[in-house]
Amino acid sequence: MRSEIKQKLLKFNTFRRIVQFLSFIFFSAMVFNLGSLPLLFPVLWTWGIEPNTVGDAFTALQFMLYNVVFPWLAIASFLIVGVLVGKSFCGWVCPFGFVQDLISFIKRKKMEISPRTHESMVYVKYAVLGITLFVSVTFSVSKLMGSSRGYESALGIFAKAPFTALSPAETLFATLPKMILGLRNSVLEVPFLEVLSGIADVPLLFWFQLAIMVAVLVFSAYVPRGWCKYFCPHGAIMAILNKFSFLGLRRDLVKCAKGECRLCVEACPMNVRILDLPWEKFSDMECIYCMKCVDVCPNKAIKLKYP
Ligand code: SF4
Ligand code: SF4
């Protein structure tokens, strides 16, 4: 029994959960009034709470383009993290990734996604990235040329941050808590019936944002890291950079029981085809370095490789 507990504690994933939890606290540190830090991270967070301890690089990129500023800070954040540690921030730091990991505990039986569907669905996130960049860049150019007024009114709330306006993380971490807090305050101040009639005045956009957030969270309960694999534009950028990262994994051919066991492949939340990748070093575009494959291998055949 004691050795079982010891073995569990020594797993990478026990340590990863602790790091994810501490990162989540750090991101929400405005609760402890830590103030803002001049840091941008390539993870899905929110800009809707003040003061924000750290910023999310993709929202910063959209804001900078809106203000006609070259987004070098956001690009630097993606490049530095991507090259040094690949997509590991998705596995260890991202607050929305953490929420998905917690949610996936609810539903033990997962939905089977066929390899073919998976292979096609992974491209959806590049479409989300492409549409966002298209809107932000064209808006920036039109503003630079002094002809943005009509475009801005046509885009409405999507002019400033086309992706973040509908991001499930923005709704979960900022819009919804603010709404609940506002409702709670009104319940204390005005009669209940008036509060109910106030709900009817909530903008349609909020219900749309809420529907997206709920759909994403339910999907993630059935499909591990469903949002990350298929829809997240941060994940799309980091997937490209993962190819050029110093970080990778190595599978020892002598220790690996390949044909007899596929435990690592089954444990992988990102559907990485570990056994088909080069054994010397692999850094698949989708790998978030969650280390589940390392923990599950009974022969200790998979290890980190750096550089
Ligand atoms: S892919 Fe997932 S873990 Fe990575 S930034 Fe997006 S939500 Fe976060
Ligand atoms: S290959 Fe291993 S480390 Fe990478 S995502 Fe899959 S289980 Fe996690």
Side-chain angles (χ1 to χ4, degrees), residues 249 268-270 272 274 287-293:
L249 292 165
C268 179
M270 302 302 284
V272 176
I274 301 167
C287 177
I288 54 171
Y289 297 100
C290 66
M291 311 298 275
K292 285 193 173 174
C293 55

Side-chain angles (χ1 to χ4, degrees), residues 84-102:
L84 290 181
V85 289
K87 214 175 172 181
S88 55
F89 269 43
C90 290
W92 291 72
V93 178
C94 178
F96 201 67
F98 180 46
V99 168
Q100 287 174 82
D101 284 350
L102 291 181

Side-chain angles (χ1 to χ4, degrees), residues 125-186:
K125 59 180 178 287
Y126 297 103
V128 176
L129 174 66
I131 293 169
T132 309
L133 290 181
F134 177 78
V135 174
S136 289
V137 171
T138 50
F139 181 78
S140 198
V141 171
S142 72
K143 209 168 172 182
L144 196 64
M145 289 161 64
S147 57
S148 63
R149 196 173 284 180
Y151 197 17
E152 183 156 14
S153 61
L155 287 173
I157 57 143
F158 298 104
K160 198 165 182 187
F163 166 74
T164 307
L166 294 179
S167 161
E170 194 66 34
T171 313
L172 181 67
F173 299 130
T175 318
L176 193 58
K178 275 185 195 166
M179 185 71 98
I180 293 171
L181 216 64
L183 263 180
R184 198 202 64 168
N185 291 344
S186 10

Side-chain angles (χ1 to χ4, degrees), residues 61-97:
L61 182 139
Q62 295 163 76
F63 284 170
M64 286 177 189
L65 287 172
Y66 175 78
N67 291 317
V68 199
V69 173
F70 187 74
W72 62 270
L73 251 180
I75 293 175
S77 159
F78 279 116
L79 284 178
I80 293 170
V81 174
V83 170
L84 290 181
V85 289
K87 214 175 172 181
S88 55
F89 269 43
C90 290
W92 291 72
V93 178
C94 178
F96 201 67

Side-chain angles (χ1 to χ4, degrees), residues 193-206:
L193 278 179
E194 266 182 51
V195 176
L196 280 186
S197 68
I199 291 178
D201 297 333
V202 172
L204 196 64
L205 175 73
F206 171 74

Side-chain angles (χ1 to χ4, degrees), residues 205-219:
L205 175 73
F206 171 74
W207 297 115
F208 192 47
Q209 290 166 325
L210 194 65
I212 292 179
M213 185 203 81
V214 172
V216 164
L217 294 182
V218 171
F219 184 61

